[in-house]
Amino acid sequence: MQRGGLPDLNTFLHVAEHLSFRAAADRMELTAPAVSHSIRQLETRLGVRLFNRTTRSVSLTHAGLRLLDRLRPAFDQISGALEELDEERSRPAGRLRILASPLAATVVVTPIWQRYLSAYPDVQLEMWVDLGRVDLVASGFDAGIGPQDWVSSDMIEVRLTGPIKVAVIAAPAYFSGRPPPRTPDELAAHSCIQYRLGATGSLVKWEFEYSNGEARQIAVPGRLTVNSPELALRAALDGLGIAYVPEGLAAPFLRTGELMRVFENCSSAVDGLHLFYHGRRQVPTALRAFIDMAKSDDRRRRTEV
């Protein structure tokens, strides 16, 4: 049977359930003549009579009973599948694959992933950290999180954070026998934890904004180069030099005294982070829930400052 016959089969099931053309029509929000026409089409296509009809009653023929026995389980499965889809639209579920820059993974993802997975137990979260742009569609990602220059023109963009405050920190042991730098220019006499964007990318310059509004970017020296904020933090904790890391990442260690901060006379920040996804795709419920939680967490952080 062609797919065009499926509506007629659905009509057959409703008539068989109620043994009434009028009751089936009311249930399907059709007219009784439309239901009768659908059943006649089905019987003509199959070459058998499915119902015995009188002016007072409707009953199934032997062929109708056999067809009902075969169809009911199949349509129950279809109804179940559609109900599951309805539930998924209202309740986050399934796999959510996100590509993130190292900074985005540190600032956006790790602060909320425990809460996110606890709130949505039917979601499987898959994170992939990369230093450069990747074709989201070709690679099967639902979304990416990174700097604005990662967002191409055919993507839907959601700003997740404002500028991210950065702390310049080092372990007290590093300053044993050497004075801490008092200004960014004095970093030239220190060993700094370098940060490189990509395997062949350039070294990141450290940005500073002074109280008079002046902003500068400074190339710093150092023997160790890393490509993630967590590695820079670990290196600082190990006394290997001065690091430039997100303020929130360093905060617990600053409170315990394992790290100390320098440059109280100037602030540091890097550009905010953006989430993006393909505009031609329906936004999965799991992704929408992730976006809402990430934006809420950023608002909370700003309120606490």
Side-chain angles (χ1 to χ4, degrees), residues 8-305:
D8 292 338
L9 291 174
N10 185 47
T11 302
F12 165 77
L13 286 174
H14 279 84
V15 175
E17 178 184 354
H18 297 283
L19 291 178
S20 167
F21 282 72
R22 183 166 298 280
D26 291 342
R27 180 69 181 273
M28 300 177 69
E29 298 183 349
L30 298 172
T31 64
V35 171
S36 295
H37 177 70
S38 178
I39 295 300
R40 283 197 301 272
Q41 282 190 142
L42 180 61
E43 289 176 330
T44 299
R45 193 179 294 116
L46 296 177
V48 295
R49 178 177 288 274
L50 300 173
F51 294 100
N52 293 313
R53 310 166 180 82
T54 70
T55 55
R56 295 185 177 181
S57 65
V58 175
S59 63
L60 284 159
T61 65
H62 179 68
L65 285 170
R66 288 181 59 193
L67 181 61
L68 178 62
D69 288 341
R70 298 295 297 274
L71 283 183
R72 186 172 281 156
F75 270 76
D76 285 346
Q77 285 186 328
I78 293 172
S79 296
L82 293 175
E83 287 176 4
E84 288 178 4
L85 285 176
D86 285 339
E87 289 180 3
E88 185 172 331
R89 280 198 294 269
S90 61
R91 173 179 52 82
R95 185 178 66 165
L96 177 62
R97 298 189 74 223
I98 295 180
L99 166 76
S101 70
L103 180 61
T106 298
V107 172
V108 174
V109 181
T110 57
I112 68 169
W113 61 3
Q114 191 278 334
R115 182 156 43 98
Y116 178 80
L117 290 173
S118 295
Y120 307 110
D122 295 322
V123 174
Q124 297 87 46
L125 178 63
E126 181 176 334
M127 295 300 309
W128 184 267
V129 176
D130 207 300
L131 285 163
R133 287 190 295 181
V134 172
D135 187 324
L136 295 186
V137 177
S139 302
F141 289 106
D142 296 296
I145 310 174
Q148 191 168 31
D149 61 11
W150 278 21
V151 185
S152 56
S153 58
D154 62 342
M155 292 285 171
I156 302 297
E157 176 185 351
V158 179
R159 186 179 181 89
L160 292 185
T161 76
I164 299 165
K165 290 187 176 180
V166 175
V168 181
I169 48 89
Y174 170 77
F175 292 119
S176 178
R178 59 165 74 93
R182 292 170 298 174
T183 67
D185 289 324
E186 293 184 4
L187 289 171
H190 287 267
S191 179
C192 299
I193 311 303
Q194 302 269 31
Y195 191 88
R196 189 184 298 278
L197 293 176
T200 59
S202 59
L203 292 172
V204 173
K205 292 182 178 180
W206 294 10
E207 299 184 10
F208 298 96
E209 183 173 340
Y210 297 83
S211 56
N212 63 3
E214 179 189 2
R216 293 180 59 194
Q217 290 186 335
I218 296 178
V220 297
R223 297 171 55 206
L224 176 63
T225 300
V226 299
N227 67 354
S228 77
E230 287 85 356
L231 283 174
L233 179 73
R234 183 69 260 172
L237 287 166
D238 289 342
L240 299 179
I242 300 175
Y244 184 84
V245 299
E247 190 176 66
L249 188 63
F253 303 97
L254 292 170
R255 287 193 292 267
T256 62
E258 294 172 85
L259 292 173
M260 57 181 290
R261 191 169 188 169
V262 296
F263 305 147
E264 298 297 333
N265 62 331
C266 59
S267 60
S268 307
V270 296
D271 290 339
L273 295 166
H274 301 252
L275 181 143
F276 50 96
Y277 57 91
H278 205 285
R280 292 195 296 271
R281 287 188 170 181
Q282 189 74 21
V283 181
T285 309
L287 176 57
R288 174 53 55 194
F290 182 91
I291 293 172
D292 291 343
M293 188 173 289
K295 292 175 71 175
S296 175
D297 190 65
D298 182 62
R299 287 193 297 270
R300 177 191 58 78
R301 288 196 304 268
R302 295 186 182 284
T303 301
E304 292 176 351
V305 173

